[in-house]
Amino acid sequence: MKKAEKLKGFKKLEKKEQKEVFGGLKPIPIGPCGETGGQVISWSQDRCWGYGIVWYNGECWACY
């Protein structure tokens, strides 16, 4: 934040201003696969690896 404050035109938003920008909604968690999506597969943690395969929150995910 200290580095950002040094930028020209920088303004730190107060809580009320932040709600106006975001509409008062909390951001939606993206999850392990980002915005591409994915699904849980029933693989064990030691088998859960490879391209597009991620271990997240105790589950193995296959990302699209």
Side-chain angles (χ1 to χ4, degrees), residues 1-17:
M1 186 64 84
K2 289 180 182 182
K3 288 183 179 181
E5 290 173 345
K6 293 179 184 179
L7 295 174
K8 184 178 178 181
F10 176 84
K11 179 185 177 211
K12 184 177 178 181
L13 298 177
E14 300 298 325
K15 288 285 183 187
K16 183 178 177 184
E17 294 171 307

Side-chain angles (χ1 to χ4, degrees), residues 13-40:
L13 298 177
E14 300 298 325
K15 288 285 183 187
K16 183 178 177 184
E17 294 171 307
Q18 290 177 17
K19 285 184 180 181
E20 290 175 11
V21 171
F22 293 112
L25 301 175
K26 293 182 180 179
I28 299 170
I30 294 176
C33 298
E35 295 178 359
T36 62
Q39 68 183 43
V40 176

